[in-house]
Amino acid sequence: MWLIARRSFAQDWARLTATVLAVLFSVGLMSGALQFALRAQAAVSGSDASEYAKADVVVQPPGADTEESFAVPRGEVRPGAIGSVPGVAAVAGDAAVPVTAIGARGRPVLPPAGAGTMLRPWIADPRLNAYHLVAGRAPAADDEVAVVRHVATAGHLATGTTMTLLLPETSSRVRIVGVVTVQGRGAVASGDLVLGTPTAVQKAAGLAPGTWQSLWVKAAPGVPAGELRNRLTAPMRPAVVRTAAGLRRHQSAELQSMGTSVGGAIGMLASVAVFTGLFVVANAFGTMVRQRTRRLALLAAIGARPRQIRRLVRLEALVLAVVASAGGLLVGYGVSDVLTRLFAQDGFDISAGEVTVGWISLVFPFAAGVVTTQLAAWRPARRASRVAPIEALRSATAENQSRRWPRIAGAVAIFGASWMFFGPVFAVANDPTSVGTDRTVGIMMLILVGCMVCVSALAVLAPFFVGPLGGLVGRLGMLVSGEAGRLARATIVRSPRRVSSAAASLMLGVALVVTTGLLITSINDRSRAAGAEALAADHVIAGTGRTSNGAASLPADTAARAARVPGVTAAVALTRTEVRLVSPRVKAFDSDPGMPIFLAVTGASDVRPVLRFGGHLPALRPGEIGVTSPLVKAYGLRPGRRIVVHGTRGDVTLTVAGRYHDPSHLFADQALVAPATMATLDPGASTSAVLVRGTASAAALTAAVSDVPVARVYDRAAYVRVAAAAMRQGVRVIYGFIAMSLVISLFGMATTVALSVSERTKEFGMLGAVGTTVRQIRSIVRWEAATVVLLGVLLGLGAAVGTVALLHVATGSSFIRVDLPWWLLAAVVLGAAVVTWATSALPARRAAGVPVLEAAKAE
């Protein structure tokens, strides 16, 4: 078998090269997606550097949540007499203030892997200081800071330069005097660090002199950390005393869980790439085996057993897979780099995590490429082993038309398999803990994967549609091209599998493009319309640039600055935080009743001058909360009910004052509270936007916030566009996956068309021998291409429209509608025609130039 396979490689190198290229680019897409998924997961969960590296015990304020290891402790602790406790060698105060660091180019420095940036005090005691200076010195004045290496690198900053820090309350200009690493890394597990003097950090955190958010304690030599914790528990009561090692383990567990979630989400997107690769490879191998029917039949006639023929095809697939997977790994690096850049633009930067890509990110994609190719070759190998010796006497282009029911049964089985994804949709839709965007996204992902499986079933059934469509195209061809049209009709109807193979790849490309186009245009149009309906403000001040939590936040005094501008009648700041619902306890669908439920809370004063919400929501007083209608339905949060939520300072009891509806989901998507209540829930809540009403000009408002680099003043229409675009965060990544999958599917179609023409060498040569002109042969190929366009576009449009319609019904979202724009339909049809014409032009020229003698030598 090896000698036969080697001879096949030597004789059919042109055909095999086309197949190798199809496999190579498919594996490259799969490899890049897998490399990125593994790298992203490692970037999130793999950073074990910690500012607590030299501490043994951490003392936190009373009520500190030990389950949220990255949460900023709220409250105060004093060192007191802690230094006199036996076993204590050193004590240092610590505080953490969320900030946004502005780089040299006026853009926010994006922390690695979706983390945050914290302002913390420089620890002078070397026994507790885990910061290693690699440049400069420690900060000595209140306007001096040291930064971790990632801030300096990503922000294009160096010692001696100045930068802007956006604090929760105001902005500040500071000078960088040092660059540090922590345990050899440029960032810590919690993200980026900006290190200032203790007094400057105490002031920024709102702490009185001598008080801190937490204390770091170093144990004396020979005193275990656990024993020191026990010794400190009584004198520091009611403060929370925990070992630093336990805190680091808890942080590591949270990062591992987050990394698994990130890997799963990216894996769902990568499944599009894997599906496309599998689809294209299966088509290429199916065409390659079909065009060798006569040769395989001759092998069977001279005594080759079915098992040997299967081994032959699988051996060829293995060799092709090894070569293509090796090349695909190189292509995958480029794909992974593109995905990394796209994710960074949406606020999730893994390139800054200083993560070393290990052997698993190379071996796993390589193995995935080989396994995928073997799976794709499995059915062609079985079909090849069943070729009867009598087939050696037939033309290679003749197809067996009798095996209809196995194809139908296979399609039904694939449709049935799609319910592995469609079935859980009902569970997500009926889960009371899944509301709003989370519910919609969960349903969308399940339906999209299920519909990809259904596309495979349509590809299996595609040959049944070739006859009617081929007849229609053939009749049109007869009217336009005469005899060439009649010959094209005959070849199309006689070989439906060949036409459907090329149309299947086009169908996949059309389905990807139209589904994405429908979703994006629908969400975009509805977001803009609903935003314009809800926003009554004349201007909006918002931050520009991306951070891990969305757009850059504004200082809390931005609203006060805007209110002082002449002509302003209302300036309402929107602050945002997330709280955990403690009571009532809601049982999730088929899950533990203790599963945490989080609410996105918006803080604002009277919003009636600047926002138009539906429902019945009175002016909120301290201790009251307004909730959206979906929350009332999901959690039973009816007006008048008392609920308990867990904020950054512990549990808070609130009264539901009323329900409302934000039609745009842009301003207060779940809950709304007064500023006084927000100060209780989260004193450091970030300001996302300031809504301004009045006759003040944009220039006057811009001058009022000129010292905030990221602040920008928008008019009503411009801000609605910006806010609607923010709702589509992550769409660049989807565009990237779709674009790369589309390229692969079109490349697969071109490969299939080229292989299908090359398998008909004898047919075209004989047509030339009996007097068919070069122009007529080209016309035959082009009319076949027209059938490919018609079949691929119709099936692709049907799959796309059906997918979006199913999404609309399942989610019930007004943001997802089946509204196919005429320009999108025209662009898809024109694009499909151009691509098909381009891919068939060269095969048509080759077909027309086949000499009669070469046809006589063909299989």
Side-chain angles (χ1 to χ4, degrees):
M1 286 297 109
W2 169 248
L3 294 177
I4 296 175
R6 191 173 70 173
R7 183 177 179 184
S8 297
F9 282 121
Q11 292 180 347
D12 297 333
W13 64 268
R15 300 176 186 177
L16 293 175
T17 299
T19 308
V20 166
L21 290 176
V23 177
L24 184 145
F25 286 109
S26 301
V27 171
L29 181 55
M30 291 186 290
S31 172
L34 291 171
Q35 284 183 38
F36 177 81
L38 293 170
R39 188 180 181 189
Q41 185 171 359
V44 172
S45 60
S47 179
D48 56 357
S50 174
E51 59 270 40
Y52 308 109
K54 290 189 176 182
D56 294 309
V57 174
V58 177
V59 181
Q60 296 178 327
D65 192 345
T66 57
E67 296 300 319
E68 297 180 9
S69 58
F70 289 108
V72 177
R74 300 297 178 183
E76 299 176 352
V77 291
R78 295 177 180 270
I82 192 173
S84 61
V85 175
V88 173
V91 181
D94 178 50
V97 181
V99 297
T100 300
I102 306 300
R105 299 176 181 177
R107 298 176 182 176
V109 178
L110 189 63
T117 302
M118 293 290 177
L119 173 65
R120 305 191 88 130
W122 178 267
I123 305 298
D125 195 325
R127 292 171 295 181
L128 287 167
N129 189 340
Y131 311 130
H132 174 67
L133 282 166
V134 294
R137 59 176 176 82
D142 288 352
D143 63 345
E144 295 179 346
V145 296
V147 298
V148 290
R149 185 173 58 198
H150 171 249
V151 173
T153 303
H156 304 282
L157 300 166
T159 55
T161 60
T162 59
M163 73 172 182
T164 300
L165 281 182
L166 299 183
L167 302 167
E169 297 297 329
T170 186
S171 61
S172 175
R173 293 284 291 177
V174 294
R175 186 163 62 95
I176 299 174
V177 296
V179 178
V180 304
T181 58
V182 182
Q183 295 181 280
R185 293 183 178 270
V188 295
S190 58
D192 283 333
L193 296 179
V194 178
L195 306 170
T197 61
T199 55
V201 176
Q202 281 180 322
K203 182 180 178 181
L207 297 170
T211 62
W212 296 99
Q213 291 176 347
S214 62
L215 301 174
W216 298 359
V217 184
K218 182 68 175 179
V223 179
E227 182 178 340
L228 182 59
R229 178 197 58 195
N230 296 335
R231 294 179 184 179
L232 292 174
T233 299
M236 296 305 298
R237 187 175 287 117
V240 176
V241 183
R242 59 199 304 189
T243 62
L247 177 59
R248 292 197 298 270
R249 284 195 299 269
H250 203 288
Q251 288 182 339
S252 178
E254 283 192 38
L255 290 172
Q256 290 289 344
S257 177
M258 188 185 304
T260 301
S261 300
V262 169
I266 297 172
M268 292 292 287
L269 289 174
S271 64
V272 178
V274 175
F275 172 79
T276 305
L278 183 61
F279 197 95
V280 169
V281 172
N283 251 353
F285 270 100
T287 302
M288 187 180 71
V289 170
R290 187 181 62 250
Q291 72 182 37
R292 298 169 60 204
T293 299
R294 191 177 182 190
R295 181 182 299 178
L296 295 173
L298 288 173
L299 288 176
I302 61 176
R305 295 188 298 274
R307 185 177 181 182
Q308 290 177 309
I309 295 177
R310 286 197 298 270
R311 285 181 176 177
L312 172 63
V313 176
R314 290 172 183 167
L315 178 60
E316 293 178 352
L318 178 61
V319 174
L320 291 178
V322 170
V323 175
S325 295
L329 287 178
L330 299 178
V331 176
Y333 280 110
V335 173
S336 179
D337 184 64
V338 170
L339 294 176
T340 299
R341 295 175 183 273
L342 292 175
F343 263 88
Q345 292 176 8
D346 278 328
F348 187 84
D349 186 10
I350 65 171
S351 65
E354 301 183 3
V355 178
T356 303
V357 179
W359 62 269
I360 190 172
S361 62
L362 299 177
V363 174
F364 188 75
F366 183 88
V370 174
V371 171
T372 300
T373 309
Q374 286 293 304
L375 290 175
W378 178 78
R379 186 170 180 273
R382 287 180 59 86
R383 190 167 63 239
S385 66
R386 296 173 180 175
V387 174
I390 192 65
E391 295 291 331
L393 303 177
R394 297 183 181 179
S395 169
T397 60
E399 292 186 8
N400 188 350
Q401 305 290 334
S402 62
R403 299 180 58 83
R404 299 173 57 89
W405 288 110
R407 185 175 290 273
I408 294 175
V412 171
I414 295 175
F415 277 122
S418 67
W419 279 92
M420 291 189 300
F421 305 99
F422 291 144
V425 168
F426 296 99
V428 176
N430 295 319
D431 185 355
T433 63
S434 178
V435 296
T437 305
D438 292 339
R439 174 182 178 274
T440 301
V441 171
I443 292 175
M444 285 181 62
M445 296 304 296
L446 289 170
I447 289 180
L448 288 175
V449 176
C451 288
M452 283 195 301
V453 177
C454 291
V455 166
S456 300
L458 285 178
V460 173
L461 296 175
F464 296 143
F465 303 107
V466 172
L469 290 178
L472 177 63
V473 173
R475 289 187 179 89
L476 181 61
M478 291 173 63
L479 294 175
V480 177
S481 303
E483 185 63 20
R486 187 185 68 81
L487 291 173
R489 178 186 178 186
T491 56
I492 292 169
V493 174
R494 187 176 73 249
S495 303
R497 196 162 60 195
R498 182 181 65 236
V499 176
S500 64
S501 295
S505 295
L506 181 61
M507 172 191 66
L508 178 60
V510 170
L512 290 171
V513 170
V514 175
T515 301
T516 305
L518 280 175
L519 288 176
I520 297 304
T521 55
S522 176
I523 294 173
N524 185 62
D525 293 345
R526 176 55 184 161
S527 297
R528 292 186 178 183
E533 175 187 344
L535 183 60
D538 297 299
H539 293 92
V540 178
I541 305 175
T544 60
R546 304 300 303 177
T547 68
S548 56
N549 295 320
S553 59
L554 300 171
D557 62 355
T558 305
R561 297 185 188 188
R564 290 193 292 265
V565 175
V568 173
T569 58
V572 179
L574 299 182
T575 58
R576 292 180 181 174
T577 190
E578 190 176 67
V579 299
R580 175 162 50 88
L581 182 63
V582 177
S583 175
R585 298 174 69 88
V586 180
K587 185 179 186 304
F589 182 86
D590 195 27
S591 67
D592 295 333
M595 180 178 180
I597 297 172
F598 293 92
L599 303 179
V601 180
T602 300
S605 56
D606 190 4
V607 298
R608 286 174 291 183
V610 292
L611 291 172
R612 291 184 289 262
F613 286 160
H616 304 282
L617 184 65
L620 296 173
R621 295 174 297 182
E624 292 183 339
I625 184 172
V627 296
T628 56
S629 300
L631 290 184
V632 173
K633 179 180 179 182
Y635 305 149
L637 306 182
R638 294 175 177 80
R641 181 166 187 176
R642 296 174 68 83
I643 65 173
V644 179
V645 299
H646 184 82
T648 59
R649 286 188 169 180
D651 292 348
V652 179
T653 301
L654 302 174
T655 301
V656 178
R659 69 170 70 182
Y660 70 95
H661 175 58
D662 178 5
S664 65
H665 301 280
L666 298 175
F667 305 102
D669 191 30
Q670 291 191 340
L672 189 66
V673 297
T677 307
M678 178 60 79
T680 304
L681 296 174
D682 184 0
S686 61
T687 300
S688 59
V690 175
L691 310 183
V692 181
R693 185 76 180 268
T695 59
S697 66
L701 292 171
T702 301
V705 294
S706 59
D707 61 334
V708 181
V710 297
R712 181 173 177 180
V713 179
Y714 299 92
D715 60 28
R716 184 183 306 170
Y719 181 73
V720 168
R721 289 195 299 270
V722 170
M727 284 191 66
R728 303 192 303 273
Q729 183 177 355
V731 75
R732 292 186 184 91
V733 179
I734 298 176
Y735 281 156
F737 273 103
I738 295 301
M740 289 182 285
S741 299
L742 178 62
V743 169
I744 298 303
S745 64
L746 294 180
F747 188 88
M749 186 192 73
T751 302
T752 305
V753 170
L755 291 175
S756 66
V757 171
S758 64
E759 74 172 296
R760 298 159 65 195
T761 301
K762 181 177 182 179
E763 177 183 339
F764 288 125
M766 288 307 199
L767 286 174
V770 298
T772 305
T773 64
V774 170
R775 183 177 181 182
Q776 287 177 318
I777 292 177
R778 292 181 182 176
S779 181
I780 291 172
V781 176
R782 287 169 182 163
W783 281 113
E784 288 188 24
T787 307
V788 170
V789 171
L790 185 60
L791 181 59
V793 168
L794 288 178
L795 291 180
L797 283 175
V801 172
T803 298
V804 177
L806 189 57
L807 287 172
H808 173 71
V809 172
T811 61
S813 173
S814 61
F815 285 75
I816 301 176
R817 297 175 297 174
V818 183
D819 186 11
L820 184 62
W822 67 267
W823 58 266
L824 179 60
L825 178 61
V828 168
V829 174
L830 181 61
V834 169
V835 168
T836 308
W837 177 84
T839 56
S840 62
L842 181 59
R845 293 177 63 87
R846 288 178 52 200
V850 174
V852 177
L853 291 179
E854 183 178 339
K857 294 189 297 180
E859 295 184 87

